[in-house]
Amino acid sequence: MIKISIITINYNDEKGLKKTLLSVFNQTFQDFEFLIIDGGSTDGSKALIVENEAKIKYWVSEKDHGVFHAMNKGIAAAKGEFVIFMNSGDIFNSSRVLEEIVPELHTNYDIYYGDNYKESPNSKRLKTYPEKLSFSFFYTSSINHQSTFIRKSLFDEHFFYNENFKIASDWEFFVYVICHENVPYKYLKKTIAIYDFTGISSNPKFADLFQKEKLQSMQKYFPSFLEDYQEINELNSKRFLQFQYIKKYPIAWKTLKGFISFVLFFLPKMPKK
């Protein structure tokens, strides 16, 4: 059985697809299968795929129902023991990533994850992860599929990505299998990918939708922790962070406290917990 399936999804991103293809083809380790799921692109992406199809194990170009539907199609077609998603615009951090990582992938763990760079037109920053993925970690964060090798059988044993979600499906999958099913995982302590940080999941306009989808997952799989999750969200809200920022400035903080005390004077007393 082949060890690795690299899955790339694409829709009308010929420039990003070309970057990803070069990164995959330039890996010093080549014993993997490469799959491309294209959503029926009309920008030249399909011609680029055809041009390189000798190096591609499986590809399809047809209309789909969104990102996670395309990812699920890739999972269903993959034959590797582990899958990694390197979508258009995403690249491996170096040409030696697979050569260094594949020997570490064995039967002891179901998920192997590493670090990644988040790259946008004006910035590039390293995102690192803890060795222990606690439930509290998933309250406010997640691991990224661009730097995670997932045992394919996990999808068959549990569920594929939620196609009703636009953003939080990979978060839902990771928090479920790691925190609910306690599958074994390992932190690789290596930088795996450079992640194209210009997609929908990184767009502030969709932050509310992301939180709404996460809340639905919490209600479904972790109802006992729902209240804690909502409190954590409040602590990480923009308004709370603004308060924390103001505390750094004594005069401004003193003025704010005075105003709050003035407002509270006219309100009923707060109930004791």
Side-chain angles (χ1 to χ4, degrees), residues 46-92:
K46 183 177 179 180
L48 180 62
I49 296 169
V50 172
E51 181 185 333
N52 291 278
E53 65 180 346
K55 301 178 183 178
I56 301 167
K57 177 69 174 178
Y58 172 90
W59 70 272
V60 64
S61 181
E62 60 188 18
K63 188 174 182 180
D64 54 51
H65 306 303
V67 171
F68 293 109
H69 179 220
M71 291 171 75
N72 283 341
K73 287 163 67 174
I75 296 166
K79 305 299 182 186
E81 185 178 354
F82 290 90
V83 300
I84 183 170
F85 294 93
M86 199 63 61
N87 296 334
S88 287
D90 300 330
I91 61 175
F92 287 106

Side-chain angles (χ1 to χ4, degrees), residues 5-263:
S5 296
I6 302 172
I7 301 171
T8 294
I9 67 166
N10 175 75
Y11 180 64
N12 283 342
D13 187 11
E14 181 185 5
K15 182 179 177 181
L17 180 60
K18 188 174 293 186
K19 279 177 57 179
T20 304
L21 290 178
L22 287 173
S23 177
V24 172
F25 295 156
N26 286 335
Q27 286 296 298
T28 54
F29 178 91
Q30 286 287 312
D31 189 18
F32 57 79
E33 64 169 13
F34 187 30
L35 302 87
I36 300 179
I37 310 299
D38 181 74
S41 294
T42 57
D43 70 336
S45 293
K46 183 177 179 180
L48 180 62
I49 296 169
V50 172
E51 181 185 333
N52 291 278
E53 65 180 346
K55 301 178 183 178
I56 301 167
K57 177 69 174 178
Y58 172 90
W59 70 272
V60 64
S61 181
E62 60 188 18
K63 188 174 182 180
D64 54 51
H65 306 303
V67 171
F68 293 109
H69 179 220
M71 291 171 75
N72 283 341
K73 287 163 67 174
I75 296 166
K79 305 299 182 186
E81 185 178 354
F82 290 90
V83 300
I84 183 170
F85 294 93
M86 199 63 61
N87 296 334
S88 287
D90 300 330
I91 61 175
F92 287 106
N93 185 50
S94 79
S95 62
R96 295 175 58 87
V97 167
L98 292 182
E99 180 183 341
E100 295 171 354
I101 296 302
V102 169
E104 297 194 39
L105 306 181
H106 42 71
T107 58
N108 293 359
Y109 302 95
D110 290 335
I111 292 176
Y112 293 82
Y113 64 99
D115 302 327
N116 57 68
Y117 283 101
K118 293 186 174 183
E119 187 172 57
S120 59
N122 300 313
S123 70
K124 180 180 178 180
R125 60 186 178 88
L126 180 64
K127 172 68 174 177
T128 60
Y129 297 90
E131 290 190 51
K132 181 175 175 57
L133 298 177
S134 63
F135 194 68
S136 60
F137 167 79
F138 283 102
Y139 275 134
T140 56
S141 190
S142 183
I143 52 179
N144 285 91
H145 56 247
Q146 294 89 345
S147 55
T148 303
F149 298 85
I150 308 166
R151 191 177 299 279
K152 190 204 167 189
S153 60
L154 288 183
F155 294 101
D156 298 316
E157 293 168 6
H158 302 291
F159 51 77
F160 279 41
Y161 290 123
N162 185 343
E163 295 176 14
N164 294 318
F165 285 175
K166 291 186 179 298
I167 304 176
S169 292
D170 51 348
W171 177 89
E172 178 182 71
F173 177 81
F174 286 134
V175 72
Y176 179 83
V177 297
I178 291 172
C179 297
H180 193 283
E181 296 298 320
N182 295 309
V183 302
Y185 60 83
K186 182 179 181 181
Y187 175 48
L188 294 168
K189 299 181 183 179
K190 296 180 187 292
T191 303
I192 307 298
I194 301 174
Y195 161 31
D196 182 1
F197 200 55
T198 59
I200 183 174
S201 62
S202 56
N203 191 326
K205 290 195 307 181
F206 297 100
D208 288 344
L209 176 61
F210 187 31
Q211 292 304 324
K212 180 180 178 181
E213 291 178 350
K214 288 169 69 175
L215 183 60
Q216 290 176 26
S217 291
M218 293 294 295
Q219 289 171 328
K220 184 174 182 179
Y221 296 115
F222 302 96
S224 298
F225 296 93
L226 191 58
E227 186 175 335
D228 292 338
Y229 175 74
Q230 291 171 319
E231 288 183 2
I232 292 291
N233 275 344
E234 289 177 8
L235 290 175
N236 283 278
S237 68
K238 183 177 179 180
R239 188 67 64 207
F240 179 79
L241 295 176
Q242 287 172 339
F243 274 95
Q244 294 297 101
Y245 177 74
I246 292 172
K247 285 181 71 174
K248 298 177 181 179
Y249 301 91
I251 295 176
W253 179 240
K254 186 175 181 180
T255 302
L256 179 62
K257 286 200 300 181
F259 176 74
I260 292 173
S261 296
F262 175 75
V263 172

